[in-house]
């Protein structure tokens, strides 16, 4: 049986149920539907009874199924530049053409029609324009949290600002939800969300083992519930099982990559349409991508049910993507030690400058200040026209050769 097979089976069931419920909410109007950014405020929406849909997840699915590149032109024709987020352009292109991978994957015809769109700019500015497009398309309200950006230390004034915005948003959601926010319900959701995030962290930390029983590619598959079902008991229970199954692999010293001899850290967005390419290349090189900033971004240590608004604000402001260059340097240097990393792979995603960390000298500072090796890979999250397999293979093979020559592990 392949690694994590039982969790894969449970994951499929869980996601089928999630999408079936979303489709039912949209079709039968059993619950109000909110579209939300991946950074949240998912807990608030869950507490107010919304069925919540995540367009970024749809963008990733379009990328993973290699449908995105052919759809981006539709959005370009409506004036959305080929240089902006390819989740956005692929997703809007899919909407304009009436296509969705959700049909084949989960049997639902289309994303559910929103009653409200809710975003948080802590990840990037594109989400505001993305959601505003749908606000105009569907004629529904668009509500936003505008987060201070690129924080080094996250001070109490910033946290209070965002916490107050969240409170105002909960008031604005009342007439749409048709109910007031129940504070006890919010505490309960935040508690469940915190437990879910803690289990997700524990799963990712299994990558510290030598050999690692998991890869970055495993994590991109198993992260779906912590993104789209945060705050639900079903997601929390799923991660309990995943952690149990993965920790058994750690104890049995089961490697994700047979003969693991190199350990990589992936920084930046996944290249969704090329995950298999990278996975096969790494397996051939006996290299394991054991950790990533991307998957660690859904670890929310700050969530605290006793301070729901404040802690949601803090968790959101402290996401890696929203931090200063100095913070990122310290974070990556610590991650390299924690996960026994040989080199960092910086993914320079053409259409996501926000989650690309190789453009302002960070790889050089990590090399000079911490002796950390790295290489930069050029590509994109969804737009396959920005990616060359040959160039990427050459860059990774050269890095692997240098690392092995330097370590005597060849
Ligand atoms: S962070 Fe990057 S990938 Fe995510 S929505 Fe913003 S631009 Fe797109």
């Amino acid at each position: 049986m392949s690694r994590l097979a039982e969790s894969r089976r449970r994951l499929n069931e869980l996601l089928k149920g999630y999408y079936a419920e979303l489709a039912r909410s949209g079709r039968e109007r059993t619950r109000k539907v909110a579209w939300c950014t991946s950074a949240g405020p998912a807990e608030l929406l869950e507490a107010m009874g919304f069925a919540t849909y995540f367009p970024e997840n749809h963008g990733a699915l379009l990328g993973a199924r290699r449908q995105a590149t052919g759809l981006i032109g539709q959005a370009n024709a409506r004036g959305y530049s080929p240089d902006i987020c390819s989740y956005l352009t692929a997703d809007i292109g899919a909407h304009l053409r009436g296509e969705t991978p959700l049909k084949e994957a989960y049997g639902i015809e289309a994303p559910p029609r929103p009653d409200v769109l809710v975003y948080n700019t802590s990840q990037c500015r594109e989400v505001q324009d993305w959601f505003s497009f749908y606000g105009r398309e569907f004629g529904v309200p668009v509500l936003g949290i505008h987060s201070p950006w690129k924080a080094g230390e996250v001070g109490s004034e910033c946290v209070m600002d965002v916490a107050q915005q969240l409170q105002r948003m909960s008031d604005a959601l009342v007439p749409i939800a048709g109910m007031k926010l129940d504070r006890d319900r919010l505490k309960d959701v935040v508690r469940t969300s915190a437990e879910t995030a803690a289990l997700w962290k524990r799963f990712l930390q299994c990558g510290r083992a030598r050999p690692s029983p998991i890869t970055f590619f495993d994590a991109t598959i198993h992260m779906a519930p912590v993104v789209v079902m945060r705050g639900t008991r079903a997601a929390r229970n799923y991660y309990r099982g995943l952690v149990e199954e993965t920790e058994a692999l750690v104890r049995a010293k089961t490697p994700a990559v047979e003969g693991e001899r190199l350990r990589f850290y992936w920084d930046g967005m996944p290249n969704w349409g090329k995950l298999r390419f990278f996975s096969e290349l790494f397996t051939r090189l006996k290299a394991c991508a054991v950790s990533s900033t991307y998957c660690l971004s859904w670890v929310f240590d700050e969530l605290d049910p006793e301070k729901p608004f404040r802690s949601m604000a803090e968790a959101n402001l402290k996401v890696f993507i929203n931090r200063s260059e100095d913070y990122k340097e310290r974070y990556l240097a610590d991650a390299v030690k924690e996960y026994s990393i040989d080199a960092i792979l910086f993914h320079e995603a053409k259409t996501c400058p926000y989650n690309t960390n190789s453009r302002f000298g960070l790889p050089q500072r990590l090399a000079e200040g911490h002796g950390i090796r790295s290489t930069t890979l050029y590509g994109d999250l969804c737009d396959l026209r920005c990616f060359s397999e040959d160039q990427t293979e050459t860059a990774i093979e050269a890095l692997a050769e240098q690392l092995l020559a330097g370590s005597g592990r060849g």
Side-chain angles (χ1 to χ4, degrees):
M1 204 151 95
S2 65
R3 280 178 312 112
L4 304 177
E6 175 57 15
S7 292
R8 278 297 283 270
R9 188 192 62 71
R10 291 175 55 239
L11 179 67
N12 286 342
E13 270 178 23
L14 186 64
L15 292 178
K16 264 192 193 147
Y18 162 75
Y19 279 108
E21 167 64 11
L22 261 182
R24 189 167 39 253
S25 302
R27 199 178 51 242
E28 298 171 17
R29 313 299 298 149
T30 42
R31 289 167 78 187
K32 294 293 176 71
V33 175
W35 289 18
C36 183
T37 42
S38 63
E43 290 82 6
L44 185 58
L45 296 168
E46 176 67 22
M48 295 189 77
F50 286 96
T52 310
Y53 166 78
F54 295 82
E56 282 157 83
N57 184 246
H58 195 238
L61 202 55
L62 287 164
R65 297 203 166 216
R66 301 185 178 198
Q67 288 172 257
T69 308
L71 293 166
I72 288 169
Q74 299 282 316
N76 300 157
R78 281 283 282 264
Y80 287 82
S81 163
D83 293 332
I84 62 171
C85 174
S86 59
Y87 275 172
L88 180 164
T89 47
D91 182 61
I92 288 179
H95 167 79
L96 293 173
R97 214 192 265 170
E99 276 183 29
T100 178
L102 294 175
K103 190 169 181 185
E104 199 188 317
Y106 303 108
I108 75 168
E109 295 293 324
R113 198 179 188 289
D115 295 289
V116 64
L117 296 125
V118 179
Y119 64 83
N120 187 328
T121 60
S122 63
Q123 59 191 94
C124 69
R125 60 144 291 165
E126 324 287 85
V127 292
Q128 180 177 4
D129 295 290
W130 185 356
F131 280 32
S132 297
F133 168 84
Y134 286 117
R136 290 188 292 273
E137 282 290 287
F138 293 110
V140 296
V142 184
L143 307 177
I145 302 289
H146 294 265
S147 298
W149 246 53
K150 301 291 174 198
E153 299 309 316
V154 175
S156 58
E157 333 73 60
C158 295
V159 175
M160 285 312 294
D161 169 12
V162 173
Q164 282 167 4
Q165 289 190 55
L166 283 164
Q167 295 211 3
R168 285 198 295 274
M169 180 180 275
S170 71
D171 294 339
L173 285 168
V174 169
I176 305 165
M179 64 160 85
K180 277 197 171 161
L181 175 66
D182 177 337
R183 297 266 165 169
D184 289 335
R185 171 82 185 123
L186 181 63
K187 282 183 178 186
D188 194 38
V189 170
V190 169
R191 183 177 299 107
T192 307
S193 195
E195 289 166 0
T196 307
L199 287 161
W200 175 239
K201 180 177 181 178
R202 199 163 138 190
F203 164 73
L204 293 175
Q205 286 183 331
C206 289
R208 297 186 297 193
R210 269 181 182 271
S212 171
I214 56 169
T215 68
F216 164 57
F217 310 106
D218 295 322
T220 59
I221 292 166
H222 292 281
M223 68 188 286
V226 79
V227 179
V228 302
M229 299 178 71
R230 220 161 57 239
T232 68
R233 288 185 169 80
R236 183 196 58 197
N237 295 345
Y238 169 73
Y239 286 111
R240 282 186 179 148
L242 179 66
V243 165
E244 204 174 293
E245 197 176 2
T246 312
E247 289 184 345
L249 295 175
V250 173
R251 287 192 294 278
K253 294 193 178 304
T254 305
V257 172
E258 212 49 68
E260 176 195 296
R261 57 181 184 172
L262 289 174
R263 294 165 66 87
F264 290 146
Y265 187 94
W266 185 279
D267 178 77
M269 298 298 294
N271 183 333
W272 288 106
K274 291 291 171 182
L275 294 182
R276 181 182 289 274
F277 161 81
F278 280 106
S279 174
E280 289 177 355
L281 174 61
F282 292 173
T283 300
R284 179 165 65 71
L285 295 171
K286 296 187 171 36
C288 186
V290 300
S291 188
S292 68
T293 35
Y294 181 71
C295 294
L296 283 159
S297 297
W298 280 270
V299 171
F300 296 114
D301 288 331
E302 298 79 12
L303 288 176
D304 177 352
E306 296 311 314
K307 298 181 284 180
F309 281 103
R310 205 184 150 83
S311 72
M312 283 191 293
E314 196 174 346
N316 244 280
L317 282 164
K318 287 189 172 173
V319 289
F320 180 81
I321 191 171
N322 192 31
R323 306 306 293 276
S324 68
E325 289 277 306
D326 284 350
Y327 174 89
K328 287 180 178 177
E329 181 181 330
R330 289 196 301 276
Y331 181 98
L332 288 171
D334 288 347
V336 162
K337 280 194 203 126
E338 184 179 354
Y339 287 85
S340 314
I341 299 295
D342 293 301
I344 299 176
L345 304 175
F346 283 98
H347 179 206
E348 185 155 332
K350 174 87 169 68
T351 70
C352 180
Y354 311 98
N355 206 7
T356 290
N357 296 304
S358 49
R359 294 184 178 185
F360 297 96
L362 185 54
Q364 288 75 7
R365 288 195 295 281
L366 284 165
E368 286 158 16
H370 308 270
I372 293 171
R373 305 287 293 269
S374 68
T375 197
T376 299
L377 307 173
Y378 297 90
D380 191 48
L381 43 145
C382 282
D383 192 340
L384 293 175
R385 294 169 298 186
C386 306
F387 179 73
S388 157
E389 282 194 2
D390 288 345
Q391 278 176 19
T392 306
E393 197 164 334
T394 304
I396 294 175
E397 282 176 349
L399 176 69
E401 268 175 36
Q402 288 164 14
L403 292 168
L404 291 169
S407 71
R409 276 177 278 162

